[in-house]
């Protein structure tokens, strides 16, 4: 039996890159033609001129809060805020949506007609799910798309699905005991609850041998705890907007990127790609023709790993979820955002990585902007301090440090204040 879901996973990396970049202009053209939001956001952009990562990096990043703002402003005639190419009668796009979901915000997401629309089958396959398996799906089927995401991927493999949803622990445990599923899909914490309850009740679950978890952190300690109970758990990273982004393999070395997305890691608060290995915000361009999100900022931190997966999957890998990129701090009654720090550094091209440290006791906030630079010209710190006052309307100290001095954790704003 093949270790790969399809031949795309083991493509030559150079071939994959050529094929992704060949698909990119078509996706941009479709977004411009069929979605009012991108007709505006990419106005004047020639799709044929965007055929490389450097050219893609010149396009604006759309972050989730901006998508939400557009959706709210256009609720009366387009619940998707102009980002979807499909909808139903009465919407700007009159047909094509099979279902519509609501995520917190609320943000609405369309589901099109395609098989394995969210592309979750690849992650399920890597976690060991195969044709004929019964999958116990404990992701929500209510409002949000997680349950449907995983079910469609399971069906694409040829699995049967029990739609457990969330809650009703005793009933779900009874179903597991009686239906004897081969694997579990859901959050790792709920799987632990189920297994704990099974142990308390003396209920054997001998058939349950694999799991694909998401939606929460999946630390090695919990992975090992599951293994001790006979369950091999793997994780994947997906969002309601983008579908599958990356997935774990038996190598346990980071998460391999999905084949249907183009992923960049950018400095938080900007759209500027960072070097391989540096922590930054995940920005994703999806090749989904129905919901063609271009440079969509996830707000999540991660970093690209060097090399390729030992399993033979040749796509790039990320470290996994490493925190949130949409950082801010309230200083002396005013909010300071990562984008403002980026605006400061853009005024001085010779600067490298930046980190704003907020410290002090309550009602005595202190700001210190630490900046990496190799050879600082005289008076640079004073110029940066003035720019900081202009942009944030707050005073702070500027400290220039050698390259490589700041932590590689993706933090642009560090709140080091004491609140006790």
């Amino acid at each position: 039996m093949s270790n790969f879901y399809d031949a795309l996973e083991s493509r030559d990396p150079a071939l994959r890159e050529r094929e992704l970049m060949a698909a990119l202009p078509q996706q941009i053209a479709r977004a411009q033609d069929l979605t009012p939001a991108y007709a505006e956001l990419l106005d004047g952009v020639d799709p044929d001129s965007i055929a490389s990562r450097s050219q893609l990096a010149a396009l604006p990043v759309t972050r989730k809060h901006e998508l939400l703002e557009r959706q709210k402003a256009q609720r009366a005639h387009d619940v998707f805020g102009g980002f979807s190419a499909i909808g139903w009668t009465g919407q700007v796009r009159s047909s094509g949506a099979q279902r519509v979901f609501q995520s917190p915000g609320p943000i609405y997401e369309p589901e099109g007609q395609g098989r394995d629309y969210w592309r979750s089958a690849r992650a399920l396959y890597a976690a060991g799910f195969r044709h004929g398996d019964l999958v116990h799906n404990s992701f929500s089927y209510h409002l949000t798309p997680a349950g449907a995401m995983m079910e469609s991927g399971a069906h694409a493999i040829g699995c049967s699905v029990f739609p457990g949803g969330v809650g009703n622990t005793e009933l779900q445990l009874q179903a597991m005991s009686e239906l004897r599923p081969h694997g579990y899909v859901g959050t790792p914490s709920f799987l632990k609850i189920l297994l704990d309850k099974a142990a308390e009740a003396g209920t054997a679950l001998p058939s349950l041998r694999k799991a694909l978890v998401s939606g929460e952190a999946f630390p090695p300690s919990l992975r090992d705890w599951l293994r001790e109970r006979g369950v091999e758990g793997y994780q994947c990273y997906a969002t309601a907007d983008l579908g599958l982004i990356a997935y774990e393999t038996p190598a346990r070395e980071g998460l391999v990127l999905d084949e249907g997305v183009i992923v960049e890691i950018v400095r938080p608060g900007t759209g500027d790609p960072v070097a391989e290995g540096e922590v930054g915000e995940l920005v994703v361009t999806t090749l989904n023709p129905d919901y063609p999100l271009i440079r969509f900022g996830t707000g999540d931190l991660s970093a690209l790993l060097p090399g390729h997966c030992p399993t033979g999957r040749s796509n790039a890998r990320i470290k996994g979820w490493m925190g949130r990129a949409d950082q801010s701090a309230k200083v002396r009654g005013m909010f300071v955002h990562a984008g403002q720090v980026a605006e400061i550094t853009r005024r001085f091209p010779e600067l490298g990585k930046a980190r704003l440290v907020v410290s002090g006791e309550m009602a005595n906030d202190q700001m210190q902007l630490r900046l990496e630079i190799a050879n600082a010209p005289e008076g640079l710190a004073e110029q940066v301090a003035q720019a900081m006052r202009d942009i944030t309307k707050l005073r702070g100290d500027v400290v220039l440090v050698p390259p490589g001095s700041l932590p590689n954790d993706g933090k642009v704003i560090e709140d080091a204040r004491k609140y006790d």
Side-chain angles (χ1 to χ4, degrees), residues 38-54:
Y38 282 114
E40 177 186 335
L41 292 169
L42 303 181
D43 182 37
V45 173
D46 177 8
D48 291 332
S49 72
I50 311 299
S52 69
R53 288 183 182 268
S54 61

Side-chain angles (χ1 to χ4, degrees), residues 306-320:
H308 299 110
C309 182
T311 64
R313 292 171 175 85
S314 58
N315 209 342
R317 297 170 298 161
I318 58 173
K319 287 186 177 180

Side-chain angles (χ1 to χ4, degrees), residues 26-35 37-38 42 62 82-86 110 117 241-242 284-296:
Q26 302 170 39
Q27 184 72 339
I28 291 172
R30 182 176 178 85
Q32 290 173 317
D33 291 344
L34 298 180
T35 69
Y38 282 114
L42 303 181
T62 299
F83 286 96
S84 176
I86 58 175
Y117 181 79
D241 321 274
L242 299 159
V284 181
T285 297
T286 174
L287 299 179
N288 178 355
D290 297 333
Y291 201 37
L293 297 175
I294 309 296
R295 298 204 85 201
F296 187 74

